Amino acid sequence: MMNKNGIGDIVVYAGDGADMGSAEKLAHNLGAEITREEPGTECAAFVLRLDPSGLTLISGGRSFIGDFTRMLPRLKAGTLQRELLVRAARIKDASRPLTAVDATAGMGDDSLLLAAAGFDVQLFEYNPVIAALLADTLRRARDIPELADIVCRMHLTECDSLEALTLLKEPPDVILLDPMFPARHKSSLVKKKPQVLQSLETPCADEAALLQAAIDAGPRKVIIKRPIKGGLLAGIRPGYSIKGKTVRYDCIVPVQK
């Protein structure tokens, strides 16, 4: 059975100590049932458990809760500057604070790297469950001293990025795309994701339209995250690529109008 968001049967479980106002708001946004009793494994395809520790997604005996603290080793100054994405996103002769849009935010790891590198990042995520998990991850990260200043530069919007890119008030410096489409379902990038999250993701419906919307938004650079052997997004060849062992970042520099 699908709910109003088309994401399958889902229940919001308000655990001990949960903020009922937050639980009710979440359930309303998802078009989901809400319960104070721990649901059985047969009750729904997905359970979102809200309690003082955060928001946990449970499905098929697996669980997931967002946690940016695992990224802390990658945020250290020397290490951060060697990150492939940070290298790909560098803007020469920047005379003002830099801005970025992550149009396929997922759980925000790439946005976190960009924010740590000094970008003010707007995150777009269309899946309401993933957006709720990410919002909770950001909320908890604000209470962690090593992350607080970084996540304050991350701003999440639950939306369709195709539409949102056309509504940007100012061209960002960088737009990041990490679209999942059918040829990628066996890639190492997908295999590294928790399986409970993979079950929520759907392939990009129109990668050509997404890329064109990003280019039309007028950024100084469009960065596309791909598996190292993955095909070109929409068949468009980048100006250059930054390559690692399992991933590459294809960089398109649109002609500035």
Side-chain angles (χ1 to χ4, degrees), residues 120-133:
D120 191 83
V121 187
Q122 180 69 56
L123 295 79
F124 297 151
E125 175 53 49
Y126 76 96
N127 185 289
V129 175
I130 295 177
L133 290 165

Side-chain angles (χ1 to χ4, degrees), residues 103-104 160-168 171-172 175-179 204-219 221-224 232-237 252-255 257:
T104 48
D160 181 342
S161 57
L162 266 176
E163 179 180 356
L165 287 170
T166 68
L167 299 175
L168 295 175
I175 294 179
L176 172 65
L177 304 177
D178 180 15
C204 180
D206 191 340
E207 61 263 25
L210 179 62
L211 178 53
Q212 191 59 54
I215 293 171
D216 289 346
K221 189 181 295 186
V222 177
I223 301 173
I224 307 163
L232 300 174
L233 185 63
I236 295 179
R237 188 169 300 279
I252 296 173
V253 182
V255 176
K257 298 178 181 179

Side-chain angles (χ1 to χ4, degrees), residues 86-200:
V86 174
R87 289 168 54 195
R90 284 176 186 155
I91 300 293
K92 294 181 179 179
D93 304 321
S95 59
R96 55 176 174 75
L98 296 172
T99 59
V101 169
D102 185 347
T104 48
M107 283 305 301
D109 288 1
D110 288 333
S111 292
L112 186 71
L113 292 173
L114 291 175
F119 285 84
D120 191 83
V121 187
Q122 180 69 56
L123 295 79
F124 297 151
E125 175 53 49
Y126 76 96
N127 185 289
V129 175
I130 295 177
L133 290 165
L134 177 54
D136 177 72
T137 306
L138 289 165
R139 177 187 61 80
R140 288 181 284 107
R142 294 187 190 104
D143 294 328
I144 299 171
E146 300 92 331
L147 292 169
D149 288 344
I150 297 172
V151 297
C152 282
R153 293 192 289 274
M154 299 169 67
H155 318 285
L156 172 64
T157 303
E158 180 191 323
C159 64
D160 181 342
S161 57
L162 266 176
E163 179 180 356
L165 287 170
T166 68
L167 299 175
L168 295 175
K169 294 180 180 179
E170 297 289 340
D173 293 292
V174 168
I175 294 179
L176 172 65
L177 304 177
D178 180 15
M180 176 186 177
F181 56 100
R184 189 175 139 186
H185 73 284
K186 292 183 179 180
S187 79
S188 59
L189 293 182
V190 172
K191 290 177 182 178
K192 289 181 180 180
K193 292 184 179 180
Q195 289 186 17
V196 68
L197 278 186
Q198 291 181 36
S199 61
L200 286 173

